[in-house]
Amino acid sequence: MLKAIIEKDAAKIRKQIFALKWQLTQDIPNKDREIFTQTVRELEAALAEMEREEIYDTYQERIPQITEVDRAEETARQIYDRVAAYNRELADSMDMAIGTLARAYEAQGFNGGLMVARGAL
């Protein structure tokens, strides 16, 4: 059994998979077909693992942001409660404005809660 040499670049792996799949559509000896098929499987498994690692790394990077959002939203809630104790209508207007800003940021792909909470505070 042969072992494929796996590139570190996902784009190169995709190109290799594409090329090998094309090669499999051609009239090739059975031994080559077996080798190419095995190599495609190994490359696809390696690519899937790279993608899983990338997703995991993305979430690991975002965990501090998520925690920061929770803290900022709690602070915004405390400010809302203080304003509501003074004037409920003013507090409700502030809450609606924050919600509108959050939706606008999220529509642009930003982490709405964090951006709006920072802006509101």
Side-chain angles (χ1 to χ4, degrees), residues 62 65-66 69 73 102 105-106 109-117:
R62 294 196 66 181
Q65 293 176 353
I66 292 168
V69 168
E73 288 176 349
Y105 278 119
E106 288 167 1
F110 291 105
N111 187 340
L114 178 60
M115 296 293 186
V116 171

Side-chain angles (χ1 to χ4, degrees), residues 81-98:
D81 291 341
R82 288 180 191 159
V83 172
Y86 172 72
N87 183 328
R88 178 59 107 188
E89 188 177 322
L90 180 61
D92 290 343
S93 294
M94 179 189 82
D95 195 42
M96 289 178 66
I98 289 173

